[in-house]
Amino acid sequence: MLTRRNVIRVGLLGTLAGVYLPQMQGLAQTPPAPASAPTGPFTLPPLGYAYDALEPFIDSETMKIHHDKHHAAYVNNLNKALAGQAEWSAKSLEELILALDRVPESIRMAVRNNSGGHYNHSLFWKTLAKNGGKGPGSDLKKALEKTFKSFDGFKEQLSTAATGVFGSGWAWLSLTPTKELVIEKTPNQDTVLASGNLPLFGIDVWEHAYYLKYQNRRPDYIKAFFEVVNWEVVDDRYAKGLVAPSVKPMSAAV
Ligand code: MN3
């Protein structure tokens, strides 16, 4: 026979179960994120300098979020896309990018976006430096003057290209297979490597690269960007690119 006390107890338990059980079941069904995220084959390279190294041209908070969150997400999502794909997981980043057309269609777009994001950003950090902006060495300077009339002419053309990227993307100084310097744009995280060119350096014009400090003023960010170009690294890439055999996208080779 139900006493009044028992009725209250049952009623209370029922209410508690009604409130807490769905939440507890929800918690139990949520997999722990770190354990389920693949840890390889790719890893986030360290920035290589302090977050505030490029102040006041590129602010510390932007560098931290850009590297630790945005670049990290490309690496994590690339690893996720490659999970269970032994053949493709064994490839280098460059090999993956050059063979995108042969990557299984179910993961091709994820691999394209995230391998590009990882490749473009890994290069981006290396080509920036505190006290940059001193200008290219004599070999690259001569080549830029020959191709674009003057160094200022080159800066103007690259700036115009970067300003004109519609939406998110990049503007690049690249070396073609015939060793000519060209300015080009890529949408999203597409790479110039995929079309057979060697990127010497690029300007990231995704809003995440400048919005905290420059908001909608992309041209101001581009102007500031030229103050932190690591020309030593760009010079070195140019010198090595001149003697390196050209890369060929695998799809173009067959
Ligand atoms: Mn970016």
Side-chain angles (χ1 to χ4, degrees):
M1 215 183 135
L2 286 172
T3 61
R4 186 165 177 268
R5 181 183 284 181
N6 280 344
V7 169
I8 290 170
R9 191 177 286 162
V10 168
L12 186 61
L13 280 173
T15 304
L16 285 174
V19 171
Y20 287 108
L21 272 178
Q23 289 181 18
M24 290 171 72
Q25 282 165 353
L27 286 175
Q29 283 163 4
T30 307
S36 68
T39 53
F42 294 102
T43 52
L44 178 67
L47 185 58
Y49 41 81
Y51 297 120
D52 64 358
L54 308 178
E55 291 269 12
F57 305 105
I58 303 179
D59 62 287
S60 179
E61 187 66 9
T62 294
M63 290 300 287
K64 187 169 171 48
I65 295 171
H66 199 174
H67 177 270
D68 294 5
K69 303 293 182 191
H70 289 278
H71 188 172
Y74 295 120
V75 174
N76 290 340
N77 289 331
L78 179 57
N79 288 335
K80 265 188 217 165
L82 293 173
Q85 300 277 350
E87 181 196 346
W88 297 98
S89 294
K91 295 203 182 298
S92 72
L93 187 57
E94 288 80 1
E95 285 171 336
L96 265 182
I97 290 169
L98 291 170
L100 278 175
D101 288 357
R102 295 195 299 123
V103 169
E105 204 179 346
S106 59
I107 60 166
R108 190 179 304 148
M109 189 51 84
V111 171
R112 175 176 170 173
N113 289 338
N114 293 295
S115 64
H118 182 27
Y119 180 87
N120 289 339
H121 286 87
S122 297
L123 175 59
F124 188 63
W125 313 129
K126 283 189 216 158
T127 56
L128 299 178
K130 188 179 184 175
N131 301 322
K134 68 181 177 64
S138 62
D139 287 354
L140 178 56
K141 188 159 185 280
K142 272 183 215 156
L144 287 169
E145 287 168 351
K146 190 177 161 211
T147 309
F148 304 102
K149 311 285 189 231
S150 66
F151 180 63
D152 282 344
F154 155 69
K155 274 172 71 173
E156 197 180 313
Q157 286 188 48
L158 183 57
S159 299
T160 301
T163 305
V165 170
F166 183 75
S168 299
W170 296 72
W172 302 95
L173 174 67
S174 311
L175 194 64
T176 68
T178 54
K179 312 303 181 190
E180 285 175 276
L181 291 170
V182 290
I183 287 169
E184 54 189 333
K185 300 188 263 192
T186 54
N188 305 311
Q189 292 298 351
D190 285 355
T191 67
V192 301
L193 185 68
S195 53
N197 290 346
L198 176 75
L200 299 186
F201 75 104
I203 309 178
D204 184 347
V205 292
W206 282 59
E207 284 187 345
H208 68 222
Y210 62 87
Y211 204 86
L212 285 181
K213 184 176 173 75
Y214 296 97
Q215 292 85 47
N216 61 321
R217 304 185 307 278
R218 189 191 282 185
D220 290 353
Y221 156 70
I222 292 166
K223 197 169 169 228
F225 170 87
F226 278 104
E227 300 294 326
V228 290
V229 175
N230 187 337
W231 286 104
E232 283 174 22
V233 168
V234 178
D235 282 341
D236 189 53
R237 292 181 66 78
Y238 177 61
K240 286 183 177 147
L242 283 179
V243 295
S246 303
V247 293
K248 276 204 184 77
M250 283 187 184
S251 57
V254 291

